Amino acid sequence: MSELYRINGSNIIHEAFEDEVIVLNMNNGNYFSLSKTSADIWKLIETGATVPAIVNAMKQRYDGNDSEVETAVTQFVNQLAEENLVAAVEDRADSRNHAESGIDPPKERKPFQAPIFQKFSDMQEMLLLDPIHDVDESGWPGVPRISTSN
Amino acid sequence: MVAPALAIDSAVRAKTFFEDAYRAFLKAEKDNGAQCKRLYRIADRSVQMRFANSTLLPLLSPAFEHLATTSSDPTPALTMCLWDSLSTGVSMPPPAWSWDDYDVLGQVRGFESGGVHLVYQGCSNALSIFDEERALAIYWAKDNQLPYYERSAPLRAIFTWWAASQDYLLVHSAAVGKGGVGVLLTGKGGVGKSTTSLLCLQAGLEFLGDNNVILRNGSSPTAYSLYNAATLHPEQIRRMPMLAQTIQNSPPPDSPKAVFFAKELNPGQLKLSLPIKAILVPRITGKTETRLAPCSPASSLAALAPSTIFSSPGAGRSAFKFMAKYVRQVPNYILELGTDLQQIPQTVTRLLSKIS
């Protein structure tokens, strides 16, 4: 596993709210809701923090078993990578080994909950339509239409 | 990133094709001798539609009838040129791209360039092109066999591009109101926003649209009406008898929905725009009662953004950021839809009375 990840390109669009992040993958129509610990991790990836730095930040912010926190964070980053939302970075010139901001240390540490995301694939069908097949001599389609709902 | 020379080449190709298409329209208009112009007031802007003949007029214009105006503007914010080849005898020039260049939304890869937008909709056999710089759009269809959804929400691609050029956004949402203020009803198809908005219309509330409205950000977030047409499943027709009386067509065998025009019911309920004071995310619960539960702006964005972005050519990051800003400006609620349908407009009405 790499130690550094970045948001995987301009086709991954996202917006962070107080403790939630909404992510759209323009390549395949999937979209995701991240909250609490998963939202924190996403924001830290955005800042350029390395995975070890993210793990440390989560240990500072949340009360949990150190080993469990580390395992949960690395597994979650892997899941984000498997969904092609983040990509491993080889050049670490801009990485940070200290996770800075966006996540201020809280006055009270809440119990650590394993980061998860909600994944929605109901928009994929819009990207799977292929209504254009053959063309006629004018260069424009001349086949019967495929009926779809709007 | 596209190399500069390639970008220039794409822009030239796009502009050249647009000019060729526009010349074809002018020939169709001249050959058919008709002056079929319609003027509309859309999102506080003047829009002119020029039809080469009358063939497409009864198919595409009824959805905009509530926005018709007689006030002529010498410089409309948008001029649209519309024709079909079957009735005019004028063909569209051959495409300047290969068949493999289409993406899944019908856009041509590498053709979104120089401020020219283009999409081919296979289900309608129709081409839409928009030149931002000239505020000029072309809609061409092979014939007049347009599917029901093209007649209930016509020219959507062009309006999507044009709205963005005006710093507005065409979204997949309904909007209703009372006392001059409104709420957005948002979510993907099937969550109940269209049914909710039509129940509200039937109950006498002000109405902007059941599935598509134009949004404006700013100190007073606003929604504008675009279509007064809605499409109804047979089950919706059964539940809303008042609307059923005005249905224009019975669903043909290959079409699951009927087209209904709200203007036929009560034109006074149709509004051109409303300031939006809340966003509601309908959710079918299966319970009897309908209720409102506050939710986060993130929940509204998750309901609003995906269906808007993935159904609209060219909608991407800027549209997403627009919506993210919009949902932060007003309160957000889950509208838990109960099976007692009367409670739905009553719940919305109570909220509107509270926020007006």
Side-chain angles (χ1 to χ4, degrees), chain A residues 98-110:
Chain A
H98 298 283
E100 297 166 8
S101 220
I103 312 279
D104 296 324
K107 291 178 183 171
E108 276 185 39
R109 294 164 72 211
K110 294 181 184 175

Side-chain angles (χ1 to χ4, degrees), chain A residues 20-90:
Chain A
E20 291 177 82
V21 177
I22 303 297
V23 183
L24 267 66
N25 186 337
M26 299 286 292
N27 296 314
N28 58 21
N30 290 332
Y31 59 105
F32 303 80
S33 172
L34 286 63
S35 61
K36 300 177 185 169
T37 50
S38 57
D40 289 348
I41 294 169
W42 181 273
K43 292 175 192 175
L44 286 163
I45 292 173
E46 242 194 305
T47 66
T50 61
V51 174
I54 295 173
V55 170
N56 286 335
M58 299 303 282
K59 287 176 184 174
Q60 286 176 26
R61 181 171 175 77
Y62 294 97
D63 181 20
N65 175 279
D66 282 357
S67 172
E68 286 175 9
V69 171
E70 181 170 350
T71 300
V73 169
T74 52
Q75 279 181 352
F76 184 69
V77 174
N78 270 333
Q79 285 175 323
L80 294 177
E82 284 167 8
E83 292 289 344
N84 294 308
L85 300 179
V86 301
V89 177
E90 299 309 325

Side-chain angles (χ1 to χ4, degrees), chain B residues 63-64 66 152-156 159 207-209 212 225-229:
Chain B
F64 306 105
H66 63 309
S152 63
L155 313 169
R156 192 169 180 273
F159 278 111
F207 183 82
L208 290 185
N212 296 278
S225 180
L226 183 60
Y227 306 119
N228 84 96

Side-chain angles (χ1 to χ4, degrees), chain B residues 236-266:
Chain B
Q236 290 172 305
I237 296 170
R238 187 186 67 79
R239 291 178 178 179
M240 291 181 273
M242 280 179 67
L243 306 188
Q245 293 169 18
T246 64
I247 283 176
Q248 295 282 315
N249 66 303
S250 296
D254 62 344
S255 166
K257 298 185 180 180
V259 180
F260 151 79
F261 292 97
K263 191 170 183 289
E264 302 296 323
L265 185 67
N266 183 355

Side-chain angles (χ1 to χ4, degrees), chain A residues 15-16 20 122 132 136 145, chain B residues 99 123 142 188 296 328:
Chain A
E15 183 74 15
E20 291 177 82
D122 45 30
I132 300 171
D136 61 22
R145 297 171 182 83
Chain B
W99 217 241
C123 298
K142 290 197 90 173
K188 62 182 181 181
S296 64
R328 284 187 160 99

Side-chain angles (χ1 to χ4, degrees), chain B:
Chain B
M1 183 187 291
V2 177
L6 201 60
I8 293 171
D9 180 60
S10 295
V12 168
R13 279 200 311 147
K15 288 278 189 183
T16 301
F17 182 79
F18 187 94
E19 286 307 313
D20 292 344
Y22 185 51
R23 273 196 291 275
F25 167 76
L26 292 176
K27 177 174 170 36
E29 193 179 47
K30 182 180 174 189
D31 287 356
N32 286 267
Q35 287 284 324
C36 291
K37 286 186 185 175
R38 291 292 183 270
L39 302 172
Y40 302 98
R41 192 74 185 160
I42 299 174
D44 286 341
R45 303 283 191 273
S46 58
V47 173
Q48 181 187 88
M49 292 189 194
R50 288 164 60 180
F51 293 84
N53 64 11
S54 59
T55 297
L56 294 180
L57 189 66
L59 301 175
L60 301 179
S61 65
F64 306 105
E65 272 310 298
H66 63 309
L67 304 172
T69 179
T70 54
S71 300
S72 174
D73 187 332
T75 52
L78 171 65
T79 298
M80 251 190 248
C81 304
L82 307 98
W83 90 103
D84 77 282
S85 289
L86 183 64
S87 69
T88 63
V90 175
S91 300
M92 171 65 79
W97 52 86
S98 77
W99 217 241
D100 293 336
D101 290 329
Y102 286 105
D103 69 13
V104 293
L105 285 179
Q107 298 173 109
V108 178
R109 293 185 193 87
F111 226 76
E112 288 282 317
S113 189
V116 174
H117 306 273
L118 182 151
V119 71
Y120 187 85
Q121 290 159 297
C123 298
S124 310
N125 275 348
L127 181 73
S128 299
I129 330 174
F130 175 58
D131 184 330
E132 272 185 43
E133 189 180 0
R134 297 168 66 177
L136 186 61
I138 293 169
Y139 179 87
W140 164 78
K142 290 197 90 173
D143 54 39
N144 64 347
Q145 299 301 307
L146 300 179
Y148 72 91
Y149 47 85
E150 188 67 20
R151 287 177 277 122
S152 63
L155 313 169
R156 192 169 180 273
I158 292 173
F159 278 111
T160 296
W161 297 318
W162 173 74
S165 74
Q166 305 291 305
D167 291 330
Y168 292 169
L169 185 67
L170 176 53
V171 295
H172 191 204
S173 276
V176 297
K178 180 178 176 356
V181 298
V183 294
L184 274 191
L185 297 155
T186 192
K188 62 182 181 181
V191 299
K193 65 176 181 303
S194 183
T195 298
T196 298
S197 66
L198 294 173
L199 284 169
C200 289
L201 173 68
Q202 187 172 252
L205 291 185
E206 294 160 355
F207 183 82
L208 290 185
D210 83 313
N211 213 26
N212 296 278
V213 292
I214 293 176
L215 298 187
R216 184 190 76 191
N217 250 322
S219 56
S220 178
T222 301
Y224 295 93
S225 180
L226 183 60
Y227 306 119
N228 84 96
T231 54
L232 300 173
H233 285 291
E235 180 60 21
Q236 290 172 305
I237 296 170
R238 187 186 67 79
R239 291 178 178 179
M240 291 181 273
M242 280 179 67
L243 306 188
Q245 293 169 18
T246 64
I247 283 176
Q248 295 282 315
N249 66 303
S250 296
D254 62 344
S255 166
K257 298 185 180 180
V259 180
F260 151 79
F261 292 97
K263 191 170 183 289
E264 302 296 323
L265 185 67
N266 183 355
Q269 284 177 252
L270 300 185
K271 300 299 174 188
L272 299 188
S273 68
L274 286 168
I276 296 299
K277 299 297 183 183
I279 297 175
L280 309 186
V281 182
R283 194 169 287 171
I284 297 170
T285 64
K287 300 176 184 175
T288 306
E289 306 289 315
T290 291
R291 59 183 288 263
L292 283 168
C295 70
S296 64
S299 297
S300 286
L301 184 63
L304 177 61
S307 59
T308 292
I309 287 176
F310 293 123
S311 68
S312 302
R317 181 176 298 272
S318 59
F320 187 69
K321 292 298 180 185
F322 183 110
M323 288 181 274
K325 182 179 175 185
Y326 206 91
V327 299
R328 284 187 160 99
Q329 298 180 87
V330 295
N332 297 272
Y333 299 89
I334 301 293
L335 176 62
E336 298 177 358
L337 301 174
T339 55
D340 179 1
L341 297 185
Q342 283 187 337
Q343 290 190 27
I344 296 175
Q346 287 169 358
T347 303
V348 175
T349 301
R350 273 198 299 276
L351 176 66
L352 285 164
S353 297
K354 191 175 153 189
I355 60 179
S356 64

